C-alpha cells in the first residue's frame, strides 16, 4: 500500500471517528515522510504489529483496538543506517529540494554537491500486499493473510504453515499462480527517493 492509498483508506475510515481526525492529519504527515524515506509504513506496522501500542493509523488498519490521544505519536520515519545507526535527516517537499541544492551549490560550489538517490526494495509483506491488491482482495482480508507470513523462514515453510489456517490457505489456492510470484519479486527495487543534496 503506497502513501496515497493509505491516505485514501484512512480518510474513508475516519468518518466513523471524527474525534480522531486531527490526530490522523498529524500521523499522515509523518507517514508521508516515512514513505519518502523508503519505508512502506503499512508493511512496517504489520511486521511490528505485536509492538504497536497506539496510533490512529494502526487503529484504522485494524492492528490495535483503541487510541489514546494523550500518548505522543510514534511512527518510524527513518530506517537504520548502513553502519547500524539511525539514518536521521531533514525532509523537504519535492518543491523545496531544488532550492536546498541551489543553496548548497552557492555555498560550497557545484563541484562539491550532488543529489543523493535512495532505493527501497520489495519485502515479503509489501510484495504480498501488491499482489493481493492486483487480485482485488479486500484490504482487511489481505491484512489477515499477510499476518500468516514470517519473513524469517522460507517461502515453502510459510506455505506449509499456512495450511493450518484453512480459510487463508483456500485464499492462497484460489490465487496461487499470482501469489507464488512473490518470491520472484522480493529484493527487487520498489521505489527511488532523492535527497536534496549531499
Amino acid at each position: 500500500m503506497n502513501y496515497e492509498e493509505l491516505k485514501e483508506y484512512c480518510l474513508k475510515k475516519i468518518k466513523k471517528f471524527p474525534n480522531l481526525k486531527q490526530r490522523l492529519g498529524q500521523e499522515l504527515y509523518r507517514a508521508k515522510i516515512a514513505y519518502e524515506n523508503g519505508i512502506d509504513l503499512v508493511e512496517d506496522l504489520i511486521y511490528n504489529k505485536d509492538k504497536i501500542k497506539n496510533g490512529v493509523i494502526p487503529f484504522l488498519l485494524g492492528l490495535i483496538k483503541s487510541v489514546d490521544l494523550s500518548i505522543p505519536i510514534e511512527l518510524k520515519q527513518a530506517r537504520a543506517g548502513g553502519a547500524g545507526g539511525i539514518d536521521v535527516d531533514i525532509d523537504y517537499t519535492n518543491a523545496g529540494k531544488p532550492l536546498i541544492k541551489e543553496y548548497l551549490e552557492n555555498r560550497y560550489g557545484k563541484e562539491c554537491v550532488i543529489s543523493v538517490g535512495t532505493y527501497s526494495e520489495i519485502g515479503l509483506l509489501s510484495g504480498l500486499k501488491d499482489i493481493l491488491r492486483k487480485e482485488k482482495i479486500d484490504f482487511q482480508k489481505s491484512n489477515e493473510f499477510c499476518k500468516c507470513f514470517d519473513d524469517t523462514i522460507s517461502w515453502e515453510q510459510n506455505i506449509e504453515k499456512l495450511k493450518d489456517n484453512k480459510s487463508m490457505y483456500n485464499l492462497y489456492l484460489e490465487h496461487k499462480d499470482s501469489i507464488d510470484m512473490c518470491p520472484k519479486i522480493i529484493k527487487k527495487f520498489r521505489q527511488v527517493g532523492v535527497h536534496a543534496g549531499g
Side-chain angles (χ1 to χ4, degrees):
M1 179 180 281
N2 63 34
Y3 172 73
E4 290 304 326
E5 290 167 331
L6 173 64
K7 182 178 175 183
E8 183 182 344
Y9 176 84
C10 288
L11 291 177
K12 188 187 292 184
K13 286 279 188 180
I14 201 68
K15 291 175 183 172
K16 294 180 184 174
F17 310 98
N19 61 315
L20 302 178
K21 194 170 182 182
Q22 182 179 356
R23 174 67 169 260
L24 174 64
Q26 295 168 343
E27 289 189 22
L28 284 173
Y29 172 75
R30 291 180 182 225
K32 186 168 191 227
I33 294 172
Y35 275 97
E36 287 174 352
N37 275 303
I39 297 174
D40 183 324
L41 186 65
V42 174
E43 177 186 3
D44 190 73
L45 290 171
I46 292 170
Y47 184 75
N48 294 292
K49 61 186 179 294
D50 297 333
K51 300 176 188 171
I52 300 171
K53 296 187 174 85
N54 198 44
V56 175
I57 291 175
F59 171 69
L60 295 175
L61 291 171
L63 300 173
I64 57 173
K65 296 187 178 181
S66 62
V67 179
D68 183 348
L69 294 175
S70 68
I71 298 174
I73 297 169
E74 290 183 10
L75 289 179
K76 186 167 81 171
Q77 293 172 266
R79 289 194 184 282
I86 297 297
D87 174 19
V88 178
D89 55 19
I90 299 170
D91 293 288
Y92 299 98
T93 65
N94 287 335
K97 288 177 184 177
L99 301 175
I100 298 301
K101 187 174 181 192
E102 182 182 349
Y103 167 79
L104 292 172
E105 288 173 346
N106 288 337
R107 174 137 190 188
Y108 300 106
K110 284 188 177 184
E111 68 283 355
C112 295
V113 178
I114 61 167
S115 292
V116 180
T118 57
Y119 295 87
S120 62
E121 297 176 339
I122 298 173
L124 172 64
L125 297 179
S126 62
L128 279 172
K129 283 280 186 186
D130 287 346
I131 289 167
L132 294 171
R133 188 167 53 249
K134 177 193 162 288
E135 293 291 300
K136 300 192 178 354
I137 304 298
D138 172 74
F139 175 77
Q140 296 292 351
K141 186 162 284 235
S142 171
N143 194 23
E144 188 182 345
F145 184 80
C146 289
K147 284 180 183 177
C148 300
F149 283 76
D150 177 353
D151 67 358
T152 64
I153 61 177
S154 72
W155 179 258
E156 292 74 20
Q157 289 171 312
N158 270 303
I159 298 304
E160 197 58 38
K161 193 176 88 167
L162 193 62
K163 291 178 181 176
D164 296 337
N165 186 328
K166 190 173 181 183
S167 67
M168 292 297 105
Y169 188 66
N170 286 339
L171 175 66
Y172 164 71
L173 292 176
E174 190 179 337
H175 302 277
K176 185 178 186 312
D177 288 344
S178 294
I179 292 172
D180 279 347
M181 292 297 292
C182 192
K184 295 179 175 136
I185 63 173
I186 290 172
K187 299 287 184 191
K188 300 286 191 280
F189 289 137
R190 180 186 181 87
Q191 62 194 37
V192 179
V194 180
H195 291 271

